[in-house]
Amino acid sequence: MKYIESKKNDEIKQLKKLSATKNIRKTGTYLIEGFHLVREADQYDQKFEKLFVTENYSDDRLVKKYYDIATTISEDVSEEISETKSPQGIFAVIKVQDVPDMPTLDGKWVILDDVQDPGNVGTIVRTADAAGYNGVITSLNSADTYQPKVQRSMQGSQFHLPIYRMDIQKALKLAKDSSLEIYGSEVNKSAKPYNELPKTENFALIMGNEAHGVSKDVLVNCDENIYIPILGKAESLNVAVAAGVLMYGLQSL
Amino acid sequence: MKYIESKKNDEIKQLKKLSATKNIRKTGTYLIEGFHLVREADQYDQKFEKLFVTENYSDDRLVKKYYDIATTISEDVSEEISETKSPQGIFAVIKVQDVPDMPTLDGKWVILDDVQDPGNVGTIVRTADAAGYNGVITSLNSADTYQPKVQRSMQGSQFHLPIYRMDIQKALKLAKDSSLEIYGSEVNKSAKPYNELPKTENFALIMGNEAHGVSKDVLVNCDENIYIPILGKAESLNVAVAAGVLMYGLQSL
């Protein structure tokens, strides 16, 4: 098995470039790290292009399975690639999934209108998975879900439910054409409190940008604009928390 | 007004040390940054020890009010002090509030059992404020709420509701002595789904450590252990999201 000791190695330099969206698009591959995530990618049949591990993984089942594309790396290299303080020493380069022709949407969806913080986007996908939603659509200006930080905070949910990326108006049209009820979320007391909505099995919940919320030209196209009552003196909620409250609040438990 | 140009200035070096808990305890002061937070601290009558601003704030009302303890700083110094990428150029050193003799608890409380990520702790306090909870108690091993990162993510809620810090068993005893129902949260299907709890006006909700959850010697002392149903394939929720789902789910909206 190949061994890379120096963090100045060309292949390692290329790998680090996979934190940028343009390089993810160019190569059609993205980077994940950590044992849990790499194991989930394998379990959910993602296409592995490369596997990098420190020596303590040499007897691992995954290393045996991907032996032909595996490389051993030094701790030094592991720290260089990793975005965490205590890297687990296991990384994989995965092929970006082909986006199938867009289906008709069914069930419960979350649409992100320019949610820009990677942690927020990742956490919302993870929550959508937990809350039993059917999928997530991100607008073109939302944080790219193939970025390492988003990948890490999705904690495997990226392999459990479909995530599409498209122009926000196209996403709205798709939801409308699929006969979903469309709920825009607002920090606005003239919108409808989420807990007063009738239970619905087919809807799209739209969450907005951290600073500006859901954009006006999206809100006008929603069937209902909803809000979470603020009962104390806070001005708003973190968008990932708000998404969680709404996703579970609108779920028929 | 005093002017500091160099980031090597001794006072600036001292200021930077206020990111560490031990120095916050030693000096009895902590550091906040950003216009919104500094304004909220003033509005809620916190005791200002120092104010640092870049030149563009020289006509600001706050600078006039705190003129005797204000210092103008260069952009260079502002970047040195700040923990953000785009500092707003306004910082205050605030006196740590004296903890009053512990009252009897009343209403809805959140207790954090070793929640360690500063962003999670801050976001939970912000959500507790939004959801109309009466206060938050953090265990001794939770992230210190006077840390700059926690301060930033609380977004002013630290001035809206009381935050106590104490040994977790002491917190439990206080909640019991106050006749609050005590709910421990678990990722465990044998616990009770949160939406099946009877509505209660007086309770304490306990949220646990990111990796280990609420500790066993706390769970055994709870009146009821509750969980959020996981309907998809995710293993768990982010603790700040889970806290939001539970806080709103248990609130009588």
mmCIF file of all heavy atoms in Angstrom, chain A residues 36 44 123 126 129-131 160 194-195 228-229 231-238 241 244-245 248 253, chain B residues 36 44 123 126 129-131 160 194-195 228-229 231-238 241 244-245 248 253:
data_model
loop_
_atom_site.group_PDB
_atom_site.id
_atom_site.type_symbol
_atom_site.label_atom_id
_atom_site.label_comp_id
_atom_site.label_asym_id
_atom_site.label_seq_id
_atom_site.Cartn_x
_atom_site.Cartn_y
_atom_site.Cartn_z
ATOM 1 N N HIS A 36 -16.940 7.464 11.492
ATOM 2 C CA HIS A 36 -18.391 7.307 11.363
ATOM 3 C C HIS A 36 -18.855 7.646 9.946
ATOM 4 O O HIS A 36 -19.604 6.890 9.319
ATOM 5 C CB HIS A 36 -19.089 8.211 12.380
ATOM 6 C CG HIS A 36 -20.570 8.281 12.226
ATOM 7 N ND1 HIS A 36 -21.406 7.238 12.534
ATOM 8 C CD2 HIS A 36 -21.375 9.275 11.760
ATOM 9 C CE1 HIS A 36 -22.662 7.587 12.287
ATOM 10 N NE2 HIS A 36 -22.668 8.813 11.816
ATOM 11 N N TYR A 44 -23.811 3.038 2.646
ATOM 12 C CA TYR A 44 -24.845 3.522 1.735
ATOM 13 C C TYR A 44 -24.349 3.564 0.284
ATOM 14 O O TYR A 44 -24.822 4.348 -0.527
ATOM 15 C CB TYR A 44 -25.390 4.866 2.204
ATOM 16 C CG TYR A 44 -26.302 4.682 3.399
ATOM 17 C CD1 TYR A 44 -25.799 4.762 4.697
ATOM 18 C CD2 TYR A 44 -27.652 4.362 3.236
ATOM 19 C CE1 TYR A 44 -26.624 4.544 5.798
ATOM 20 C CE2 TYR A 44 -28.475 4.140 4.323
ATOM 21 C CZ TYR A 44 -27.959 4.238 5.592
ATOM 22 O OH TYR A 44 -28.779 4.022 6.681
ATOM 23 N N THR A 123 -26.572 20.947 9.856
ATOM 24 C CA THR A 123 -27.451 20.605 10.974
ATOM 25 C C THR A 123 -28.901 20.484 10.520
ATOM 26 O O THR A 123 -29.642 19.612 10.990
ATOM 27 C CB THR A 123 -27.317 21.668 12.093
ATOM 28 O OG1 THR A 123 -25.949 21.719 12.500
ATOM 29 C CG2 THR A 123 -28.182 21.330 13.294
ATOM 30 N N ARG A 126 -29.317 17.135 8.832
ATOM 31 C CA ARG A 126 -29.336 16.093 9.875
ATOM 32 C C ARG A 126 -30.692 16.060 10.576
ATOM 33 O O ARG A 126 -31.270 14.994 10.822
ATOM 34 C CB ARG A 126 -28.219 16.397 10.884
ATOM 35 C CG ARG A 126 -28.124 15.446 12.058
ATOM 36 C CD ARG A 126 -26.987 15.887 12.985
ATOM 37 N NE ARG A 126 -26.919 15.138 14.213
ATOM 38 C CZ ARG A 126 -26.180 15.505 15.273
ATOM 39 N NH1 ARG A 126 -25.443 16.607 15.217
ATOM 40 N NH2 ARG A 126 -26.159 14.774 16.363
ATOM 41 N N ASP A 129 -33.477 14.597 8.386
ATOM 42 C CA ASP A 129 -33.367 13.137 8.425
ATOM 43 C C ASP A 129 -34.041 12.601 9.700
ATOM 44 O O ASP A 129 -34.948 11.760 9.646
ATOM 45 C CB ASP A 129 -31.882 12.760 8.370
ATOM 46 C CG ASP A 129 -31.622 11.263 8.449
ATOM 47 O OD1 ASP A 129 -32.569 10.469 8.278
ATOM 48 O OD2 ASP A 129 -30.449 10.883 8.685
ATOM 49 N N ALA A 130 -33.638 13.140 10.844
ATOM 50 C CA ALA A 130 -34.189 12.668 12.128
ATOM 51 C C ALA A 130 -35.703 12.825 12.181
ATOM 52 O O ALA A 130 -36.414 11.956 12.689
ATOM 53 C CB ALA A 130 -33.543 13.426 13.286
ATOM 54 N N ALA A 131 -36.205 13.942 11.636
ATOM 55 C CA ALA A 131 -37.634 14.232 11.739
ATOM 56 C C ALA A 131 -38.446 13.521 10.660
ATOM 57 O O ALA A 131 -39.645 13.744 10.533
ATOM 58 C CB ALA A 131 -37.858 15.747 11.675
ATOM 59 N N HIS A 160 -28.648 9.469 3.673
ATOM 60 C CA HIS A 160 -29.953 8.904 4.051
ATOM 61 C C HIS A 160 -31.128 9.525 3.306
ATOM 62 O O HIS A 160 -32.197 8.935 3.245
ATOM 63 C CB HIS A 160 -30.211 9.104 5.559
ATOM 64 C CG HIS A 160 -29.152 8.511 6.434
ATOM 65 N ND1 HIS A 160 -29.005 8.867 7.751
ATOM 66 C CD2 HIS A 160 -28.188 7.595 6.190
ATOM 67 C CE1 HIS A 160 -27.986 8.191 8.281
ATOM 68 N NE2 HIS A 160 -27.472 7.420 7.348
ATOM 69 N N TYR A 194 -46.849 28.694 13.782
ATOM 70 C CA TYR A 194 -46.731 27.366 13.155
ATOM 71 C C TYR A 194 -47.667 26.343 13.781
ATOM 72 O O TYR A 194 -48.117 25.411 13.120
ATOM 73 C CB TYR A 194 -45.284 26.869 13.221
ATOM 74 C CG TYR A 194 -44.836 26.424 14.598
ATOM 75 C CD1 TYR A 194 -44.918 25.082 14.970
ATOM 76 C CD2 TYR A 194 -44.330 27.325 15.520
ATOM 77 C CE1 TYR A 194 -44.527 24.667 16.239
ATOM 78 C CE2 TYR A 194 -43.930 26.923 16.777
ATOM 79 C CZ TYR A 194 -44.027 25.594 17.138
ATOM 80 O OH TYR A 194 -43.630 25.185 18.372
ATOM 81 N N ASN A 195 -47.959 26.520 15.078
ATOM 82 C CA ASN A 195 -48.773 25.515 15.758
ATOM 83 C C ASN A 195 -50.266 25.682 15.468
ATOM 84 O O ASN A 195 -51.073 24.895 15.953
ATOM 85 C CB ASN A 195 -48.501 25.529 17.259
ATOM 86 C CG ASN A 195 -48.632 26.922 17.872
ATOM 87 O OD1 ASN A 195 -48.181 27.907 17.276
ATOM 88 N ND2 ASN A 195 -49.252 27.004 19.011
ATOM 89 N N ILE A 228 -42.483 31.347 14.385
ATOM 90 C CA ILE A 228 -42.377 30.735 15.711
ATOM 91 C C ILE A 228 -42.590 31.845 16.732
ATOM 92 O O ILE A 228 -41.834 32.822 16.731
ATOM 93 C CB ILE A 228 -40.983 30.106 15.913
ATOM 94 C CG1 ILE A 228 -40.742 29.001 14.875
ATOM 95 C CG2 ILE A 228 -40.838 29.559 17.328
ATOM 96 C CD1 ILE A 228 -39.325 28.440 14.899
ATOM 97 N N PRO A 229 -43.596 31.747 17.593
ATOM 98 C CA PRO A 229 -43.822 32.808 18.572
ATOM 99 C C PRO A 229 -42.584 33.052 19.431
ATOM 100 O O PRO A 229 -41.976 32.108 19.935
ATOM 101 C CB PRO A 229 -44.973 32.264 19.426
ATOM 102 C CG PRO A 229 -45.680 31.290 18.543
ATOM 103 C CD PRO A 229 -44.606 30.673 17.694
ATOM 104 N N LEU A 231 -41.529 34.395 22.810
ATOM 105 C CA LEU A 231 -42.237 34.657 24.065
ATOM 106 C C LEU A 231 -41.401 35.473 25.042
ATOM 107 O O LEU A 231 -41.910 36.000 26.013
ATOM 108 C CB LEU A 231 -42.651 33.321 24.697
ATOM 109 C CG LEU A 231 -43.466 32.426 23.738
ATOM 110 C CD1 LEU A 231 -43.487 30.992 24.235
ATOM 111 C CD2 LEU A 231 -44.872 32.959 23.566
ATOM 112 N N GLY A 232 -40.097 35.543 24.791
ATOM 113 C CA GLY A 232 -39.220 36.317 25.680
ATOM 114 C C GLY A 232 -38.736 37.569 24.979
ATOM 115 O O GLY A 232 -39.453 38.155 24.169
ATOM 116 N N LYS A 233 -37.487 37.964 25.267
ATOM 117 C CA LYS A 233 -36.968 39.223 24.719
ATOM 118 C C LYS A 233 -35.957 39.009 23.594
ATOM 119 O O LYS A 233 -35.365 39.972 23.095
ATOM 120 C CB LYS A 233 -36.305 40.024 25.845
ATOM 121 C CG LYS A 233 -37.279 40.437 26.947
ATOM 122 C CD LYS A 233 -36.564 41.309 27.987
ATOM 123 C CE LYS A 233 -37.352 41.384 29.284
ATOM 124 N NZ LYS A 233 -36.587 40.818 30.422
ATOM 125 N N ALA A 234 -35.712 37.760 23.193
ATOM 126 C CA ALA A 234 -34.792 37.509 22.079
ATOM 127 C C ALA A 234 -35.407 38.066 20.796
ATOM 128 O O ALA A 234 -36.622 38.143 20.666
ATOM 129 C CB ALA A 234 -34.536 36.011 21.932
ATOM 130 N N GLU A 235 -34.554 38.490 19.865
ATOM 131 C CA GLU A 235 -35.087 39.043 18.620
ATOM 132 C C GLU A 235 -35.424 37.951 17.612
ATOM 133 O O GLU A 235 -36.273 38.122 16.752
ATOM 134 C CB GLU A 235 -34.081 40.021 18.011
ATOM 135 C CG GLU A 235 -33.976 41.289 18.846
ATOM 136 C CD GLU A 235 -32.988 42.300 18.299
ATOM 137 O OE1 GLU A 235 -32.463 42.080 17.193
ATOM 138 O OE2 GLU A 235 -32.737 43.302 18.992
ATOM 139 N N SER A 236 -34.720 36.843 17.705
ATOM 140 C CA SER A 236 -34.922 35.764 16.726
ATOM 141 C C SER A 236 -34.282 34.499 17.254
ATOM 142 O O SER A 236 -33.680 34.482 18.319
ATOM 143 C CB SER A 236 -34.270 36.150 15.398
ATOM 144 O OG SER A 236 -32.860 36.266 15.579
ATOM 145 N N LEU A 237 -34.414 33.439 16.478
ATOM 146 C CA LEU A 237 -33.779 32.164 16.800
ATOM 147 C C LEU A 237 -32.670 31.884 15.792
ATOM 148 O O LEU A 237 -32.714 32.372 14.663
ATOM 149 C CB LEU A 237 -34.805 31.039 16.706
ATOM 150 C CG LEU A 237 -35.863 30.970 17.800
ATOM 151 C CD1 LEU A 237 -37.041 30.112 17.347
ATOM 152 C CD2 LEU A 237 -35.261 30.382 19.072
ATOM 153 N N ASN A 238 -31.710 31.083 16.170
ATOM 154 C CA ASN A 238 -30.755 30.540 15.202
ATOM 155 C C ASN A 238 -31.543 29.761 14.156
ATOM 156 O O ASN A 238 -32.497 29.056 14.487
ATOM 157 C CB ASN A 238 -29.777 29.630 15.958
ATOM 158 C CG ASN A 238 -28.968 28.746 15.032
ATOM 159 O OD1 ASN A 238 -29.464 27.716 14.567
ATOM 160 N ND2 ASN A 238 -27.757 29.129 14.743
ATOM 161 N N VAL A 241 -31.946 25.988 14.701
ATOM 162 C CA VAL A 241 -32.879 25.696 15.797
ATOM 163 C C VAL A 241 -34.314 25.921 15.318
ATOM 164 O O VAL A 241 -35.202 25.091 15.543
ATOM 165 C CB VAL A 241 -32.574 26.575 17.035
ATOM 166 C CG1 VAL A 241 -33.666 26.426 18.084
ATOM 167 C CG2 VAL A 241 -31.224 26.210 17.626
ATOM 168 N N GLY A 244 -35.497 23.156 13.258
ATOM 169 C CA GLY A 244 -35.809 21.994 14.077
ATOM 170 C C GLY A 244 -37.169 22.120 14.751
ATOM 171 O O GLY A 244 -37.977 21.187 14.741
ATOM 172 N N VAL A 245 -37.431 23.284 15.326
ATOM 173 C CA VAL A 245 -38.722 23.521 15.986
ATOM 174 C C VAL A 245 -39.853 23.357 14.972
ATOM 175 O O VAL A 245 -40.867 22.698 15.249
ATOM 176 C CB VAL A 245 -38.757 24.939 16.624
ATOM 177 C CG1 VAL A 245 -40.161 25.296 17.096
ATOM 178 C CG2 VAL A 245 -37.752 25.039 17.768
ATOM 179 N N TYR A 248 -40.204 19.522 13.546
ATOM 180 C CA TYR A 248 -40.916 18.645 14.489
ATOM 181 C C TYR A 248 -42.316 19.168 14.769
ATOM 182 O O TYR A 248 -43.260 18.392 14.922
ATOM 183 C CB TYR A 248 -40.113 18.454 15.780
ATOM 184 C CG TYR A 248 -39.195 17.256 15.693
ATOM 185 C CD1 TYR A 248 -37.868 17.398 15.328
ATOM 186 C CD2 TYR A 248 -39.677 15.959 15.919
ATOM 187 C CE1 TYR A 248 -37.027 16.297 15.210
ATOM 188 C CE2 TYR A 248 -38.847 14.848 15.805
ATOM 189 C CZ TYR A 248 -37.528 15.019 15.454
ATOM 190 O OH TYR A 248 -36.708 13.924 15.330
ATOM 191 N N LEU A 253 -46.665 13.818 14.866
ATOM 192 C CA LEU A 253 -46.099 12.812 15.786
ATOM 193 C C LEU A 253 -47.207 11.993 16.447
ATOM 194 O O LEU A 253 -48.277 12.487 16.672
ATOM 195 C CB LEU A 253 -45.261 13.501 16.859
ATOM 196 C CG LEU A 253 -43.967 14.145 16.383
ATOM 197 C CD1 LEU A 253 -43.299 14.868 17.533
ATOM 198 C CD2 LEU A 253 -43.028 13.099 15.824
ATOM 199 N N HIS B 36 -24.497 45.303 18.547
ATOM 200 C CA HIS B 36 -25.751 44.824 19.122
ATOM 201 C C HIS B 36 -25.572 44.418 20.586
ATOM 202 O O HIS B 36 -26.335 44.827 21.466
ATOM 203 C CB HIS B 36 -26.267 43.643 18.298
ATOM 204 C CG HIS B 36 -27.451 42.951 18.891
ATOM 205 N ND1 HIS B 36 -28.700 43.519 18.930
ATOM 206 C CD2 HIS B 36 -27.576 41.744 19.495
ATOM 207 C CE1 HIS B 36 -29.546 42.694 19.515
ATOM 208 N NE2 HIS B 36 -28.893 41.607 19.869
ATOM 209 N N TYR B 44 -29.512 46.945 29.350
ATOM 210 C CA TYR B 44 -29.890 46.131 30.499
ATOM 211 C C TYR B 44 -29.001 46.405 31.710
ATOM 212 O O TYR B 44 -28.809 45.547 32.568
ATOM 213 C CB TYR B 44 -29.921 44.644 30.121
ATOM 214 C CG TYR B 44 -31.150 44.334 29.286
ATOM 215 C CD1 TYR B 44 -31.097 44.391 27.896
ATOM 216 C CD2 TYR B 44 -32.370 44.052 29.883
ATOM 217 C CE1 TYR B 44 -32.232 44.162 27.117
ATOM 218 C CE2 TYR B 44 -33.501 43.824 29.132
ATOM 219 C CZ TYR B 44 -33.431 43.871 27.753
ATOM 220 O OH TYR B 44 -34.551 43.645 27.005
ATOM 221 N N THR B 123 -26.435 29.123 22.053
ATOM 222 C CA THR B 123 -27.674 28.982 21.281
ATOM 223 C C THR B 123 -28.813 28.503 22.171
ATOM 224 O O THR B 123 -29.958 28.936 22.020
ATOM 225 C CB THR B 123 -27.447 27.997 20.110
ATOM 226 O OG1 THR B 123 -26.381 28.511 19.305
ATOM 227 C CG2 THR B 123 -28.690 27.854 19.245
ATOM 228 N N ARG B 126 -30.082 31.451 24.131
ATOM 229 C CA ARG B 126 -30.858 32.308 23.223
ATOM 230 C C ARG B 126 -32.252 31.724 22.975
ATOM 231 O O ARG B 126 -33.262 32.430 23.012
ATOM 232 C CB ARG B 126 -30.094 32.437 21.899
ATOM 233 C CG ARG B 126 -30.774 33.270 20.838
ATOM 234 C CD ARG B 126 -29.900 33.279 19.572
ATOM 235 N NE ARG B 126 -30.541 33.890 18.429
ATOM 236 C CZ ARG B 126 -30.080 33.814 17.180
ATOM 237 N NH1 ARG B 126 -28.951 33.150 16.932
ATOM 238 N NH2 ARG B 126 -30.716 34.400 16.180
ATOM 239 N N ASP B 129 -34.548 31.990 26.022
ATOM 240 C CA ASP B 129 -35.095 33.350 26.063
ATOM 241 C C ASP B 129 -36.285 33.450 25.095
ATOM 242 O O ASP B 129 -37.396 33.831 25.494
ATOM 243 C CB ASP B 129 -33.976 34.328 25.669
ATOM 244 C CG ASP B 129 -34.419 35.781 25.617
ATOM 245 O OD1 ASP B 129 -35.518 36.096 26.117
ATOM 246 O OD2 ASP B 129 -33.659 36.606 25.079
ATOM 247 N N ALA B 130 -36.063 33.063 23.842
ATOM 248 C CA ALA B 130 -37.130 33.165 22.827
ATOM 249 C C ALA B 130 -38.368 32.372 23.237
ATOM 250 O O ALA B 130 -39.504 32.805 23.023
ATOM 251 C CB ALA B 130 -36.613 32.672 21.480
ATOM 252 N N ALA B 131 -38.151 31.198 23.822
ATOM 253 C CA ALA B 131 -39.271 30.309 24.153
ATOM 254 C C ALA B 131 -39.933 30.683 25.486
ATOM 255 O O ALA B 131 -40.817 29.972 25.956
ATOM 256 C CB ALA B 131 -38.794 28.860 24.182
ATOM 257 N N HIS B 160 -31.185 39.024 29.391
ATOM 258 C CA HIS B 160 -32.649 38.934 29.469
ATOM 259 C C HIS B 160 -33.153 37.928 30.497
ATOM 260 O O HIS B 160 -34.296 38.000 30.905
ATOM 261 C CB HIS B 160 -33.238 38.534 28.105
ATOM 262 C CG HIS B 160 -32.866 39.449 26.992
ATOM 263 N ND1 HIS B 160 -32.986 39.115 25.669
ATOM 264 C CD2 HIS B 160 -32.377 40.714 26.995
ATOM 265 C CE1 HIS B 160 -32.579 40.119 24.910
ATOM 266 N NE2 HIS B 160 -32.198 41.094 25.684
ATOM 267 N N TYR B 194 -41.577 13.194 24.010
ATOM 268 C CA TYR B 194 -41.850 14.486 24.669
ATOM 269 C C TYR B 194 -43.274 14.973 24.434
ATOM 270 O O TYR B 194 -43.845 15.661 25.257
ATOM 271 C CB TYR B 194 -40.843 15.543 24.195
ATOM 272 C CG TYR B 194 -41.078 16.043 22.785
ATOM 273 C CD1 TYR B 194 -41.841 17.184 22.545
ATOM 274 C CD2 TYR B 194 -40.539 15.376 21.687
ATOM 275 C CE1 TYR B 194 -42.065 17.644 21.254
ATOM 276 C CE2 TYR B 194 -40.752 15.824 20.398
ATOM 277 C CZ TYR B 194 -41.516 16.961 20.181
ATOM 278 O OH TYR B 194 -41.736 17.410 18.897
ATOM 279 N N ASN B 195 -43.841 14.599 23.289
ATOM 280 C CA ASN B 195 -45.177 15.104 22.960
ATOM 281 C C ASN B 195 -46.290 14.334 23.684
ATOM 282 O O ASN B 195 -47.460 14.659 23.543
ATOM 283 C CB ASN B 195 -45.398 15.085 21.444
ATOM 284 C CG ASN B 195 -45.092 13.739 20.832
ATOM 285 O OD1 ASN B 195 -44.110 13.099 21.189
ATOM 286 N ND2 ASN B 195 -45.929 13.294 19.918
ATOM 287 N N ILE B 228 -36.916 12.626 21.897
ATOM 288 C CA ILE B 228 -37.503 13.130 20.652
ATOM 289 C C ILE B 228 -37.519 11.966 19.669
ATOM 290 O O ILE B 228 -36.460 11.402 19.372
ATOM 291 C CB ILE B 228 -36.644 14.272 20.079
ATOM 292 C CG1 ILE B 228 -36.591 15.436 21.077
ATOM 293 C CG2 ILE B 228 -37.179 14.741 18.732
ATOM 294 C CD1 ILE B 228 -35.633 16.547 20.670
ATOM 295 N N PRO B 229 -38.692 11.567 19.176
ATOM 296 C CA PRO B 229 -38.721 10.434 18.243
ATOM 297 C C PRO B 229 -37.822 10.688 17.023
ATOM 298 O O PRO B 229 -37.865 11.767 16.435
ATOM 299 C CB PRO B 229 -40.194 10.377 17.818
ATOM 300 C CG PRO B 229 -40.943 11.031 18.933
ATOM 301 C CD PRO B 229 -40.035 12.098 19.455
ATOM 302 N N LEU B 231 -37.401 9.672 13.410
ATOM 303 C CA LEU B 231 -38.275 9.041 12.422
ATOM 304 C C LEU B 231 -37.520 8.598 11.185
ATOM 305 O O LEU B 231 -38.018 7.821 10.383
ATOM 306 C CB LEU B 231 -39.385 10.026 12.046
ATOM 307 C CG LEU B 231 -40.162 10.553 13.277
ATOM 308 C CD1 LEU B 231 -40.961 11.788 12.919
ATOM 309 C CD2 LEU B 231 -41.075 9.480 13.838
ATOM 310 N N GLY B 232 -36.300 9.108 11.001
ATOM 311 C CA GLY B 232 -35.493 8.720 9.837
ATOM 312 C C GLY B 232 -34.325 7.853 10.262
ATOM 313 O O GLY B 232 -34.438 7.063 11.198
ATOM 314 N N LYS B 233 -33.180 8.019 9.578
ATOM 315 C CA LYS B 233 -32.031 7.159 9.849
ATOM 316 C C LYS B 233 -30.922 7.855 10.631
ATOM 317 O O LYS B 233 -29.861 7.269 10.849
ATOM 318 C CB LYS B 233 -31.477 6.623 8.533
ATOM 319 C CG LYS B 233 -32.465 5.745 7.766
ATOM 320 C CD LYS B 233 -31.811 5.199 6.492
ATOM 321 C CE LYS B 233 -32.832 4.707 5.480
ATOM 322 N NZ LYS B 233 -32.757 5.453 4.206
ATOM 323 N N ALA B 234 -31.129 9.101 11.017
ATOM 324 C CA ALA B 234 -30.113 9.801 11.810
ATOM 325 C C ALA B 234 -29.997 9.128 13.173
ATOM 326 O O ALA B 234 -30.960 8.549 13.666
ATOM 327 C CB ALA B 234 -30.483 11.270 11.982
ATOM 328 N N GLU B 235 -28.814 9.188 13.771
ATOM 329 C CA GLU B 235 -28.648 8.553 15.083
ATOM 330 C C GLU B 235 -29.087 9.461 16.221
ATOM 331 O O GLU B 235 -29.471 8.998 17.289
ATOM 332 C CB GLU B 235 -27.188 8.138 15.272
ATOM 333 C CG GLU B 235 -26.819 6.976 14.363
ATOM 334 C CD GLU B 235 -25.380 6.537 14.519
ATOM 335 O OE1 GLU B 235 -24.680 7.047 15.404
ATOM 336 O OE2 GLU B 235 -24.949 5.686 13.711
ATOM 337 N N SER B 236 -28.981 10.754 15.983
ATOM 338 C CA SER B 236 -29.313 11.702 17.048
ATOM 339 C C SER B 236 -29.466 13.082 16.448
ATOM 340 O O SER B 236 -29.276 13.281 15.257
ATOM 341 C CB SER B 236 -28.195 11.723 18.092
ATOM 342 O OG SER B 236 -27.008 12.218 17.488
ATOM 343 N N LEU B 237 -29.803 14.042 17.290
ATOM 344 C CA LEU B 237 -29.896 15.441 16.883
ATOM 345 C C LEU B 237 -28.774 16.234 17.523
ATOM 346 O O LEU B 237 -28.251 15.848 18.567
ATOM 347 C CB LEU B 237 -31.230 16.024 17.366
ATOM 348 C CG LEU B 237 -32.489 15.558 16.651
ATOM 349 C CD1 LEU B 237 -33.717 15.850 17.503
ATOM 350 C CD2 LEU B 237 -32.616 16.255 15.301
ATOM 351 N N ASN B 238 -28.411 17.340 16.915
ATOM 352 C CA ASN B 238 -27.528 18.298 17.576
ATOM 353 C C ASN B 238 -28.203 18.753 18.878
ATOM 354 O O ASN B 238 -29.422 18.947 18.904
ATOM 355 C CB ASN B 238 -27.316 19.485 16.621
ATOM 356 C CG ASN B 238 -26.738 20.700 17.307
ATOM 357 O OD1 ASN B 238 -27.463 21.451 17.967
ATOM 358 N ND2 ASN B 238 -25.460 20.899 17.180
ATOM 359 N N VAL B 241 -30.343 21.937 18.755
ATOM 360 C CA VAL B 241 -31.597 21.721 18.018
ATOM 361 C C VAL B 241 -32.567 20.928 18.893
ATOM 362 O O VAL B 241 -33.748 21.284 19.020
ATOM 363 C CB VAL B 241 -31.343 20.974 16.689
ATOM 364 C CG1 VAL B 241 -32.659 20.570 16.041
ATOM 365 C CG2 VAL B 241 -30.531 21.840 15.729
ATOM 366 N N GLY B 244 -34.121 23.073 21.402
ATOM 367 C CA GLY B 244 -35.140 23.932 20.807
ATOM 368 C C GLY B 244 -36.448 23.191 20.577
ATOM 369 O O GLY B 244 -37.529 23.691 20.912
ATOM 370 N N VAL B 245 -36.345 21.977 20.031
ATOM 371 C CA VAL B 245 -37.542 21.162 19.784
ATOM 372 C C VAL B 245 -38.270 20.901 21.106
ATOM 373 O O VAL B 245 -39.492 21.042 21.204
ATOM 374 C CB VAL B 245 -37.160 19.829 19.105
ATOM 375 C CG1 VAL B 245 -38.345 18.868 19.065
ATOM 376 C CG2 VAL B 245 -36.627 20.084 17.695
ATOM 377 N N TYR B 248 -39.760 24.325 22.838
ATOM 378 C CA TYR B 248 -41.030 24.737 22.232
ATOM 379 C C TYR B 248 -42.088 23.648 22.362
ATOM 380 O O TYR B 248 -43.263 23.940 22.575
ATOM 381 C CB TYR B 248 -40.830 25.156 20.770
ATOM 382 C CG TYR B 248 -40.537 26.642 20.666
ATOM 383 C CD1 TYR B 248 -39.225 27.105 20.594
ATOM 384 C CD2 TYR B 248 -41.559 27.583 20.686
ATOM 385 C CE1 TYR B 248 -38.948 28.461 20.524
ATOM 386 C CE2 TYR B 248 -41.301 28.942 20.615
ATOM 387 C CZ TYR B 248 -39.991 29.381 20.527
ATOM 388 O OH TYR B 248 -39.731 30.725 20.470
ATOM 389 N N LEU B 253 -48.101 26.637 23.988
ATOM 390 C CA LEU B 253 -48.345 27.697 22.997
ATOM 391 C C LEU B 253 -49.833 27.896 22.763
ATOM 392 O O LEU B 253 -50.602 26.970 22.846
ATOM 393 C CB LEU B 253 -47.655 27.342 21.681
ATOM 394 C CG LEU B 253 -46.125 27.369 21.699
ATOM 395 C CD1 LEU B 253 -45.579 26.889 20.368
ATOM 396 C CD2 LEU B 253 -45.614 28.770 21.954
#
